[in-house]
Amino acid sequence: MAAVGWSVLRCASSFSGFILRRNVRQLSPLICRQDAFHQTHEVPLHAKYGGRNTVTLIPGDGVGPEMVTAVKDIFRYIGAPVDFEELNLSGLNLSDEDTFSDTLEDVVTSVKRNGAAIKGNIFTPLDQPTFKSLNVELRLQLDLFANVVRCKSIPGIPVRHGDVDLVIIRENTEGEYSHIEHENVDGVIESFKVMTEEKCTKVAKYAFDFAVKHGRKKVTAVHKANIMKLGDGLFLRCCEEVSKSYPDIEFNSMIIDNCCMQLVSNPEQFDVMVMPNLYGNIVSNIGASLVGGPGIVPGENIGGDYAVFESGSRHTGLDIKGKNVSNPMSLLFASTLMLEHLGWNAYGDMIHSAILRVVEKGVKTADIGGGHLTTDFLDCLKEEIGQMGNLSGAD
């Protein structure tokens, strides 16, 4: 990115005595992008006005609207310099495919304009064969090639393994999620798993770069190359080839079924894990269960130009919708990663620290062994933030 200058903005919070400072980079009207798999191209400057970022907000279905409301409430309370452009995208009560297609186009345009989004999960009906998951379509149209789920034990949440700290990186745009299947004759279905050298190499390199950036020591490639010798064999070979460029990062590989057993018996052996699409979906949910369940872990969908943040386990939660019992931690943690992505690190650190303190004090929703409602948790979170006093932060 080309920077033409630096300025320092002081952001006052909505409660007295709380001040955050941040350096803001002023960008040229167009940003030039180039990486190993993208030709040089120009990306319009993402929406930012008066030192504030605009982010696309997609409530989704189930408990999604409750969770994004919690994020907006906390952002408003701390005076985070983020404005939301809200668009509704739902997989419920669909009667006309053209309707949701138009809405999806609007959402994609918004994310491309803003550069980042935060979303609840969008329901995917099982009884409509022609209906493509809107969650998947959004990732495909924005080329969000990597899904990152961070699973880390939190003090105060009772789990079997108390020292879990692993990162699951999932190829996000192909594999079994390629949406290519058909019925040849009655009762015979062909479903294609598409693997490309470009995408396999790209997500492998992202995993190793992530390990370097975050001080991680090992990358494990998860596969089923003993059976799917061509498709998963290609993925494994790409990971092995990429690993040669990172001599300081330990590399190993593991078959997916053994990996699942090892995760529940000895998760401490894992650090960064990289895998094809479907395996990532399964392993992410196992990882979430290791640290407390779907209400805990955040998720990031990363592309060359855009990023979308959501719950790591992607559960819709239709059965607890409107009951005020859902755990807001996963999307709140995702919002802190979004703030970090935007460069507002101090705000993200403050929310993250406050969540941990609230849990340590025993304020927990039912899914993690507590008896508090969603609103109870959020009220205590605000109180904890208010007690933290002055905080100075920079990029």
Side-chain angles (χ1 to χ4, degrees):
M1 294 185 183
V4 299
W6 290 85
S7 63
V8 178
L9 297 180
R10 175 167 296 180
C11 300
S13 71
S14 58
F15 51 93
S16 62
F18 188 83
I19 296 176
L20 293 170
R21 297 182 181 88
R22 181 186 185 275
N23 292 330
V24 178
R25 179 177 295 173
Q26 297 177 349
L27 300 175
S28 61
L30 290 175
I31 305 170
C32 289
R33 295 274 190 172
Q34 184 175 26
D35 61 37
F37 296 102
H38 283 64
Q39 296 182 354
T40 302
H41 62 288
E42 293 181 332
V43 181
L45 179 64
H46 297 148
K48 190 170 186 178
Y49 309 99
R52 299 175 64 86
N53 287 92
T54 300
V55 168
T56 304
L57 183 142
I58 309 162
D61 296 315
V63 297
E66 301 167 45
M67 298 299 95
V68 299
T69 297
V71 170
K72 288 193 295 182
D73 188 28
I74 296 300
F75 274 36
R76 187 183 307 113
Y77 185 71
I78 67 174
V82 174
D83 299 311
F84 294 103
E85 180 184 3
E86 184 170 338
L87 292 95
N88 293 308
L89 191 60
S90 173
L92 293 170
N93 301 320
L94 294 170
S95 58
D96 183 358
E97 187 168 319
D98 291 335
T99 300
F100 72 74
S101 295
D102 292 340
T103 306
L104 178 62
E105 182 179 354
D106 293 339
V107 170
V108 170
T109 299
S110 173
V111 178
K112 287 183 176 181
R113 176 171 59 246
N114 297 327
I118 189 165
K119 66 182 281 290
N121 199 55
I122 303 166
F123 177 72
T124 302
L126 298 177
D127 57 352
Q128 299 185 34
T130 62
F131 181 88
K132 295 183 178 180
S133 166
L134 296 177
N135 300 290
V136 175
E137 284 299 300
L138 188 63
R139 300 195 289 268
L140 291 175
Q141 293 197 28
L142 294 171
D143 192 24
L144 303 174
F145 66 89
N147 174 243
V148 183
V149 176
R150 311 185 194 203
C151 303
K152 183 175 175 61
S153 300
I154 297 176
I157 297 179
V159 290
R160 180 178 296 274
H161 303 280
D163 192 25
V164 175
D165 185 9
L166 56 90
V167 179
I168 301 159
I169 297 178
R170 162 189 179 184
E171 201 293 315
N172 217 19
T173 59
E174 56 180 16
E176 292 87 352
Y177 286 64
S178 301
H179 282 158
I180 305 174
E181 56 181 6
H182 59 268
E183 186 171 15
N184 284 333
V185 296
D186 289 345
V188 179
I189 303 294
E190 285 188 337
S191 183
F192 290 88
K193 172 177 178 175
V194 177
M195 307 285 282
T196 64
E197 182 178 3
E198 175 183 339
K199 293 293 182 69
C200 293
T201 301
K202 191 173 186 177
V203 75
K205 187 177 187 308
Y206 181 86
F208 278 93
D209 286 342
F210 184 98
V212 172
K213 179 179 178 180
H214 295 275
R216 299 281 180 159
K217 304 300 182 183
K218 182 171 73 172
V219 172
T220 300
V222 180
H223 64 92
K224 191 64 177 175
N226 58 323
I227 300 299
M228 286 171 274
K229 300 182 185 298
L230 294 180
D232 281 25
L234 173 63
F235 177 81
L236 182 57
R237 289 195 301 274
C238 289
C239 290
E240 291 172 342
E241 188 63 30
V242 170
S243 71
K244 297 175 184 178
S245 300
Y246 298 83
D248 296 330
I249 302 295
E250 180 185 350
F251 173 72
N252 70 340
S253 62
M254 190 173 291
I255 294 174
I256 178 61
D257 38 341
N258 182 39
C259 172
C260 293
M261 180 181 69
Q262 295 293 330
L263 269 172
V264 298
S265 61
N266 183 24
E268 292 85 0
Q269 67 183 287
F270 296 104
D271 193 349
V272 175
M273 308 170 71
V274 61
M275 61 203 73
N277 209 335
L278 179 61
Y279 309 153
N281 188 20
I282 297 168
V283 171
S284 295
N285 280 266
I286 296 175
S289 70
L290 290 172
V291 297
I296 304 298
V297 297
E300 311 162 68
N301 299 285
I302 303 298
D305 302 316
Y306 317 109
V308 176
F309 300 83
E310 62 183 350
S311 170
S313 59
R314 297 172 173 170
H315 286 206
T316 308
L318 289 173
D319 56 331
I320 57 174
K321 175 184 177 181
K323 297 181 179 180
N324 197 25
V325 297
S326 55
N327 190 339
M329 289 174 59
S330 62
L331 205 63
L332 285 169
F333 278 139
S335 77
T336 69
L337 296 175
M338 183 184 72
L339 287 166
E340 178 184 338
H341 174 78
L342 296 173
W344 301 105
N345 296 30
Y347 291 95
D349 292 344
M350 183 271 299
I351 296 173
H352 188 277
S353 297
I355 293 172
L356 298 183
R357 294 186 189 187
V358 168
V359 173
E360 284 183 331
K361 291 180 177 180
V363 180
K364 298 179 289 186
T365 49
D367 61 307
I368 52 174
H372 294 83
L373 301 175
T374 307
T375 48
D376 295 334
F377 184 92
L378 295 173
D379 289 341
C380 291
L381 182 60
K382 289 181 183 179
E383 182 180 348
E384 187 62 40
I385 291 171
Q387 293 175 356
M388 292 176 68
N390 292 346
L391 177 65
S392 179
D395 285 340

